[in-house]
């Protein structure tokens, strides 16, 4: 089944404890992206990658890191999480090198206390 | 910059009612326009899309027409069902700068 998977789905952590949210797609998509969803703000892009080893900042990259060492994986790293990063996070992918018509993962709900 | 504005929710309708969710956009040039739907506990799914002016996107009884003159892409459905209860997001995409923008989302609840 073609899909985007994220792990974990739920995470509660404490301020300053490094964490990684994994994202993987099995559709051989070139483009991958991370978003955060907050009430009243819709989805805001954190980082995106148009191809392996190519990443770029979205609208809200502060406090996040990403890497794209393989085509299928695009992990999101929070090196020192803070409470304002409590949010619902989505990974997405798209078949070509653009963000057109994206496929989304199920989401990761992160709470930072 | 590019942006999307959609009507605030929540919207509550009775089954078989007519649905309109308004969406307007600001963008240079000719963006592609999308409606995504998010069912409870799930990620977003593409509902429909339109790539140029006067295109009509349609899927599962939902329709939206790309209106360049009014910079709008309103979502409509003639007869909603309980299973349509979800959050709906309007979005635009510009190829030239790889810019994807989402609206804030509109929560729809359909009651039997």
């Amino acid at each position: 089944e073609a899909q985007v998977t994220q792990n974990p789905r739920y995470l509660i952590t404490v301020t300053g404890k490094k964490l990684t949210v994994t994202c993987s797609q099995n559709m051989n998509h070139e483009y991958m992206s991370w978003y955060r969803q907050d009430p009243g703000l819709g989805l805001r892009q954190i980082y995106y990658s148009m191809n392996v080893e190519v990443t770029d900042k979205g609208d809200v990259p502060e406090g996040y890191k990403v890497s794209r060492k393989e085509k299928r994986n695009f992990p999101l790293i929070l090196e020192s999480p803070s409470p304002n990063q409590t949010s619902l996070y989505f990974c997405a992918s798209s078949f070509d090198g653009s963000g057109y018509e994206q496929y989304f993962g199920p989401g990761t709900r992160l709470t930072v206390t | 910059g590019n942006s999307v504005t959609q009507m605030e929710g929540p919207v509550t309708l009775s089954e078989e009612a007519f649905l309109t969710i308004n969406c307007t956009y600001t963008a240079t040039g000719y963006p592609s326009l999308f409606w995504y739907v998010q069912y409870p506990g799930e990620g977003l799914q593409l509902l429909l899309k339109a790539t140029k002016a006067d295109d009509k996107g349609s899927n599962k009884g939902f329709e939206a027409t790309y209106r360049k003159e009014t910079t709008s892409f309103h979502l409509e459905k003639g007869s909603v069902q309980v299973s349509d209860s979800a959050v709906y997001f309007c979005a635009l995409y510009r190829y030239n700068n790889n810019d994807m923008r989402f609206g804030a989302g509109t929560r729809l609840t359909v009651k039997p």
Side-chain angles (χ1 to χ4, degrees):
Chain A
E1 179 190 356
Q3 59 184 347
V4 178
T5 57
Q6 296 178 226
N7 281 293
R9 293 289 311 277
Y10 302 90
L11 179 60
I12 300 174
T13 189
V14 296
T15 299
K17 185 176 182 182
K18 181 180 179 179
L19 65 93
T20 299
V21 183
T22 65
C23 173
S24 182
Q25 50 92 5
N26 63 2
M27 296 170 280
N28 203 35
H29 283 176
E30 300 283 343
Y31 179 99
M32 297 186 74
S33 181
W34 276 102
Y35 296 88
R36 59 178 290 173
Q37 182 182 9
D38 301 291
L41 297 177
L43 274 75
R44 294 178 293 168
Q45 192 175 55
I46 302 170
Y47 271 95
Y48 65 93
S49 169
M50 298 178 74
N51 210 331
V52 176
E53 302 293 359
V54 179
T55 63
D56 211 344
K57 296 177 181 179
D59 292 325
V60 288
E62 294 78 21
Y64 305 94
K65 285 177 59 177
V66 293
S67 68
R68 187 93 182 273
K69 294 187 171 62
E70 307 167 277
K71 197 174 193 179
R72 62 184 292 125
N73 297 323
F74 192 45
L76 179 69
I77 303 157
L78 284 72
E79 298 219 325
S80 184
S82 62
N84 65 11
Q85 293 178 297
T86 293
S87 187
L88 180 58
Y89 291 86
F90 289 100
C91 181
S93 70
S94 181
F95 74 101
D96 64 8
S98 74
Y100 184 82
E101 196 168 336
Q102 297 182 41
Y103 294 78
F104 283 79
T108 295
R109 185 166 291 284
L110 171 65
T111 302
V112 183
T113 61
Chain B
N2 301 326
S3 65
V4 175
T5 302
Q6 59 182 103
M7 71 185 272
E8 292 187 23
V11 174
T12 302
L13 296 173
S14 297
E15 207 164 23
E16 299 184 2
F18 184 86
L19 168 71
T20 300
I21 300 178
N22 291 336
C23 171
T24 57
Y25 68 90
T26 300
T28 54
Y30 301 93
S32 296
L33 301 174
F34 306 85
W35 278 100
Y36 282 84
V37 58
Q38 183 181 29
Y39 298 105
E42 298 183 10
L44 280 71
Q45 302 174 24
L46 180 65
L47 180 60
L48 54 84
K49 66 186 181 201
T51 57
K52 61 183 187 297
D54 300 325
D55 267 2
K56 178 184 280 188
S58 61
N59 187 24
K60 298 181 181 180
F62 291 89
E63 293 183 341
T65 301
Y66 190 144
R67 301 285 188 202
K68 183 73 175 172
E69 64 277 12
T70 55
T71 61
S72 65
F73 192 54
H74 305 321
L75 182 68
E76 297 182 336
K77 186 175 185 183
S79 177
V80 293
Q81 306 300 311
V82 172
S83 57
D84 293 327
S85 298
V87 180
Y88 292 83
F89 291 91
C90 186
L92 71 78
Y93 180 72
R94 287 276 286 137
Y95 268 110
N96 65 342
N97 58 354
N98 199 27
D99 190 19
M100 187 80 184
R101 297 282 165 173
F102 287 85
T106 302
R107 181 176 298 279
L108 169 67
T109 301
V110 180
K111 297 190 172 181

